[in-house]
Amino acid sequence: MLQETELIGKAKNGDVEAFQNLILAYQEKIYSFAFYLAKNQQDASDLSQETWVKVFKQLSSFRLDSSFYTWVCRILRNLFIDHHSRIPHKRPEVSLNDELDSNIPQLGILEQIEQQHRDDVVADAVSRLPDEFRSTIVLVDMQGLSYEEAAKITDVSINTVRSRLSRGRERLRAYFEKAGTF
Amino acid sequence: MKCEKISGFLSDYIDNQLSPDLRKEVELHLNDCSFCTKRLGELKTLVGFLGSVKPKQLPAFYQTQLDAKLNETARQIKERSFLLLKFRWQFVFGVFFLGIFLGSGILYISQKTINKSSEAIYTIKINETGILTFNLFSKENVKSIVFNVKLPDGISLASKPKEKSFRWEGELVKGENVISLYVKGMREGTWCVNADLQSYGSTLKEFNMPLIVTEKKG
């Protein structure tokens, strides 16, 4: 596969195959980010597909001043804020906090749980976090982005990313502690 | 430093985001506090779990839907740039005269409605490859779809120039579906590509797509 910048250059010149290769490289991660923001499959599909359409339209304005993935994530998040966050969630948001102790699955030791089950349980807990913590946890802890990249995408300072990450992790830790996971 | 304060630094400690002095202070506390050490272990385990969660799998038909949306966007962009290129002088004059009208304080708004052609007319040159795009909007997922295309004398399939027909079997997803076909201009003239969409033997929709093949110049 060609280098990313080469693909971007070709895609800017109307090379459809190059653009498809860019999509292929990131579509699962982009869909995942959309899923954690939108919290359901249908909205995540719509949101991530709208994102790719917008990326396609605006690719000529991309100046390589951030990574391509960061730029796409930023578009996705802005679309979510502009449109999707106004749509009522199909599943009510429950904030993870100390008062929430019902419906916590009693898991026992996580090491003994199948990977898929564990993924589902962790993902479910993440999806219950408030928006600002959720985005930061997904970008930094689940997708391995740096604080700087997460700050660019979520349009906040690095200190805010640090604070949100700390508070989001603490809420999740407390949640799993109550579930007897640790 | 008290446990409450230390717990606020543990996340930064894991990510190596503390200053050397603060890091040292946290480590000194951890050496003597089993409560905070346990909490640190839990946070590390949590971060490990989060990092190991696999990306969500794309739903069925995701790729088809995305391709359809991108094809439609590409078509719209192409049409817009074509119109802009074709009518650029008219556009310049239009802007000029509009300026005069506005400058004189006279603005006439035409109420004339534009009749949009329901089918675009494609033009390709002899031996040139073009893409025929059929947009199919479905209100629900439909299984067992057969899409038949019959090509006239002047056009053939780009991949198999001798073949004059194309048959595709598959499924339609809810929403927009796009079937694209690469064709080649063979003989000059105005032709019509006929296609139909069938399900379990009954015809759901018929298409008649005009296509002009022009002589290759230069």
Side-chain angles (χ1 to χ4, degrees):
Chain A
M1 193 171 146
L2 295 169
Q3 291 294 315
E4 185 176 290
T5 44
E6 203 175 338
L7 284 175
I8 293 165
K10 282 175 177 255
K12 277 184 173 183
N13 290 324
D15 186 332
V16 178
E17 201 182 327
F19 187 68
Q20 280 170 338
N21 279 330
L22 286 168
I23 293 179
L24 277 178
Y26 295 115
Q27 66 179 359
E28 272 200 349
K29 282 172 78 180
I30 286 294
Y31 174 75
S32 285
F33 186 34
F35 187 91
Y36 286 110
L37 290 181
K39 298 183 181 182
N40 68 75
Q41 188 177 295
Q42 186 58 54
D43 288 345
S45 285
D46 292 345
L47 176 59
S48 56
Q49 287 172 358
E50 271 179 55
T51 301
W52 286 118
V53 168
K54 196 159 184 185
V55 167
F56 184 62
K57 284 179 179 170
Q58 297 188 348
L59 193 60
S60 58
S61 68
F62 176 52
R63 302 278 170 238
L64 294 166
D65 47 3
S66 66
S67 79
F68 178 70
Y69 184 65
T70 302
W71 184 64
V72 177
C73 280
R74 201 176 149 88
I75 290 175
L76 187 152
R77 192 175 168 279
N78 288 340
L79 275 175
F80 172 72
I81 291 168
D82 288 349
H83 177 62
H84 288 266
S85 61
R86 290 181 199 145
I87 300 170
H89 296 303
K90 288 187 172 64
R91 185 174 63 169
E93 184 176 312
V94 181
S95 186
L96 282 184
N97 56 40
D98 291 341
E99 287 138 38
L100 177 73
D101 56 9
S102 59
N103 300 324
I104 298 177
Q106 296 296 317
L107 298 176
I109 302 163
L110 267 188
E111 281 77 3
Q112 294 174 3
I113 299 171
E114 296 285 332
Q115 169 79 30
Q116 185 54 51
H117 185 197
R118 188 171 72 189
D119 280 6
D120 290 346
V121 171
V122 173
D124 181 62
V126 171
S127 70
R128 289 164 184 264
L129 287 169
D131 280 355
E132 65 272 22
F133 297 156
R134 196 166 69 245
S135 297
T136 314
I137 292 275
V138 171
L139 293 170
V140 177
D141 282 340
M142 299 176 82
Q143 302 207 340
L145 268 62
S146 67
Y147 284 24
E148 289 80 5
E149 287 171 312
K152 267 190 185 172
I153 293 167
T154 53
D155 207 16
V156 293
S157 70
I158 290 175
N159 277 338
T160 305
V161 167
R162 188 175 287 132
S163 159
R164 286 178 178 177
L165 202 56
S166 175
R167 292 165 68 193
R169 283 172 177 174
E170 180 49 34
R171 286 195 186 201
L172 288 174
R173 190 206 61 77
Y175 175 79
F176 285 118
E177 188 182 39
K178 278 198 172 181
T181 302
F182 297 121
Chain B
M1 211 184 279
K2 287 184 178 175
C3 293
E4 200 180 325
K5 201 169 180 188
I6 289 290
S7 67
F9 293 132
L10 292 180
S11 174
D12 287 349
Y13 179 79
I14 291 172
D15 290 347
N16 284 323
Q17 294 285 324
L18 295 178
S19 67
D21 288 347
L22 196 51
R23 186 173 181 83
K24 210 170 178 180
E25 209 171 327
V26 170
E27 279 170 351
L28 276 173
H29 178 91
L30 288 170
N31 284 338
D32 294 329
C33 181
S34 57
F35 175 78
C36 287
T37 305
K38 179 175 170 278
R39 184 166 278 202
L40 176 69
E42 289 171 353
L43 274 177
K44 279 184 177 172
T45 307
L46 172 73
V47 172
F49 286 157
L50 290 168
S52 69
V53 174
K54 290 177 186 161
K56 292 280 175 190
Q57 280 195 334
L58 298 174
F61 307 122
Y62 182 89
Q63 202 65 57
T64 315
Q65 287 173 333
L66 178 57
D67 285 347
K69 286 179 183 176
L70 289 172
N71 276 333
E72 178 60 17
T73 309
R75 192 183 62 77
Q76 285 170 357
I77 292 171
K78 203 174 172 182
E79 267 181 19
R80 263 203 303 271
S81 42
F82 172 75
L83 284 173
L84 207 63
L85 269 176
K86 192 171 179 182
F87 298 108
R88 64 184 163 193
W89 287 114
Q90 289 89 331
F91 180 73
V92 169
F93 281 120
V95 170
F96 176 72
F97 285 116
L98 184 66
I100 292 174
F101 272 124
L102 287 173
S104 318
I106 304 163
L107 178 63
Y108 174 73
I109 302 168
S110 171
Q111 297 295 326
K112 191 181 172 187
T113 44
I114 299 163
N115 288 320
K116 249 188 166 181
S117 170
S118 57
E119 285 177 339
I121 297 174
Y122 295 91
T123 303
I124 53 171
K125 290 177 184 146
I126 289 177
N127 285 330
E128 191 182 63
T129 302
I131 304 173
L132 287 183
T133 304
F134 298 89
N135 293 302
L136 314 168
F137 187 84
S138 179
K139 286 179 182 171
E140 54 197 23
N141 293 335
V142 185
K143 290 187 175 177
S144 291
I145 284 293
V146 180
F147 188 66
N148 296 302
V149 182
K150 282 180 189 164
L151 297 171
D153 289 346
I155 301 153
S156 66
L157 286 174
S159 54
K160 294 172 186 170
K162 286 183 182 171
E163 289 199 17
K164 293 287 174 192
S165 64
F166 169 79
R167 178 186 167 91
W168 175 79
E169 291 180 28
E171 299 176 358
L172 288 186
V173 296
K174 186 181 173 185
E176 205 162 350
N177 298 261
V178 175
I179 297 176
S180 296
L181 195 63
Y182 284 83
V183 294
K184 201 171 190 177
M186 303 299 283
R187 201 141 50 88
E188 197 180 359
T190 302
W191 308 98
C192 186
V193 177
N194 297 313
D196 61 60
L197 187 70
Q198 295 185 354
S199 181
Y200 298 107
S202 61
T203 303
L204 302 177
K205 192 173 170 69
E206 289 183 343
F207 301 82
N208 299 304
M209 188 179 284
L211 201 152
I212 299 167
V213 179
T214 57
E215 197 182 344
K216 199 170 186 175
K217 288 174 186 169

